[in-house]
Amino acid sequence: MGRLFAVISGGEWPEREAVEEVLARAEAIIACDSGMLWARQNDVFPQYLVGDMDSVDGETLAYFVHQGAQTERLSPYKDETDTEEGVALALHLGAEEIALIGGTGKRLDHSLGNLHVMYRLLKKDVPCVLEGREERVFCTRSLLPLLGMEGHTISVLPLFEDCQVSLHGFRYPLDHYDYRCGRTIGVSNVALENRAMVEIHQGSAFVFVNRVRIPDPQG
C-alpha cells in the first residue's frame, strides 16, 4: 500500500463509520469547499482546504483555519472543479493512492466529472476509490478482489472504453466477455462469495459496490 491521501468532495457523503479505515490510514486529508461541512460535522480535521469557498460558510472556514489548516482559495472563474484541484494537490504532495469521500449525489454532472477524475488517476497508475453515500466505486484495469461482499449488489460498467471482463464468484459470472460501451449487462449483479473478483483483461471498467447487503430472494 502506498501513501494514501483522503480528498473530501461535495455531494452526498457516507457515514463516518464507513470510512474510518480510510481516515485512520490517510497521510493527509484535503477538504474541498463544501466537503468542509462533512468534516466539521464528523470531527475530521483536514490539513488542507481547497476551493473557491462558494459552498461553505465563513464560520466553518475560519474554524479549520484556526485549527491550522492550510488554505488554497481558488478563483470562481476556473477551468477545474474544486475536487479536481484537491486531487491535484494530493498528487503534488506525493499521494500514491487517493480516496474520494463524497463526490456523488444530486448533481449528475459533478458525479460524472468525479468519475472522469478517477479514470485519469487510473491512467496515472494511482489507485482511487470513491466513498459515496450509497456506494463505493472503483476504477480498474486489472484484478479487483471484493472481500467480504457476499450478498452485496455490484455493478460493472465500461464507461469510457470497451473492455474484456471476467466475473468470479457472482450470481451471473462472465468469462472473458467483450463488454462494449453502451451495454448494461453488468448492472445489478450479486456477489455470492466473500472473495468475489472482477478481472479486467483489456481496457478498463468502473465497479460500483452497494453499501447495503440485500437479502437474496433465491436463498
Side-chain angles (χ1 to χ4, degrees):
M1 293 188 292
R3 301 173 63 194
L4 173 68
F5 281 58
V7 178
I8 307 173
S9 181
E12 296 179 350
W13 301 284
E15 298 294 328
R16 173 171 175 151
E17 293 75 19
V19 291
E20 283 290 0
E21 184 178 346
V22 166
L23 295 172
R25 193 164 73 83
E27 184 170 314
I29 299 172
I30 300 169
C32 302
D33 214 317
S34 61
M36 288 178 243
L37 302 176
W38 181 88
R40 188 171 185 186
Q41 291 166 3
N42 288 276
D43 294 321
V44 173
F45 296 95
Q47 288 79 33
Y48 301 92
L49 312 174
V50 175
D52 53 22
M53 311 307 174
D54 66 344
S55 302
V56 63
D57 59 275
E59 190 211 351
T60 297
L61 178 60
Y63 172 78
F64 285 123
V65 170
H66 181 72
Q67 298 290 331
Q70 299 182 40
T71 303
E72 183 175 328
R73 185 182 288 270
L74 306 174
S75 168
Y77 307 105
K78 59 187 186 301
D79 295 328
E80 295 78 22
T81 64
D82 295 328
T83 300
E84 185 176 355
E85 291 285 3
V87 167
L89 176 60
L91 293 174
H92 176 73
L93 293 171
E96 297 171 330
E97 298 179 50
I98 292 176
L100 285 177
I101 298 175
T104 59
K106 296 178 181 179
R107 287 287 302 270
L108 181 59
D109 51 351
H110 277 284
S111 299
L112 286 173
N114 290 330
L115 296 184
H116 276 264
V117 170
M118 293 182 69
Y119 181 71
R120 183 180 175 193
L121 288 171
L122 179 72
K123 295 302 183 182
K124 292 178 176 287
D125 292 319
V126 178
C128 180
V129 58
L130 187 152
E131 302 280 1
R133 179 178 179 180
E134 304 293 343
E135 67 285 303
R136 174 176 290 159
V137 185
F138 302 89
C139 187
T140 183
R141 56 183 175 187
S142 56
L143 185 66
L144 179 66
L146 298 170
L147 305 180
M149 290 293 108
E150 182 180 4
H152 287 254
T153 300
I154 297 172
S155 296
V156 180
L157 284 168
L159 292 185
F160 299 130
E161 59 181 331
D162 297 340
C163 70
Q164 187 180 82
V165 59
S166 294
L167 301 179
H168 311 279
F170 283 83
R171 175 178 296 161
Y172 307 109
L174 292 174
D175 183 14
H176 289 79
Y177 178 77
D178 290 323
Y179 199 164
R180 306 301 183 189
C181 287
R183 298 294 307 279
T184 58
I185 191 172
V187 173
S188 293
N189 211 329
V190 178
L192 299 182
E193 301 176 4
N194 278 325
R195 191 178 173 81
M197 289 188 290
V198 176
E199 186 174 7
I200 305 299
H201 307 285
Q202 297 175 16
S204 63
F206 283 85
V207 180
F208 301 80
V209 181
N210 194 293
R211 292 193 182 278
V212 179
R213 184 183 184 280
I214 299 174
D216 185 355
Q218 298 183 17

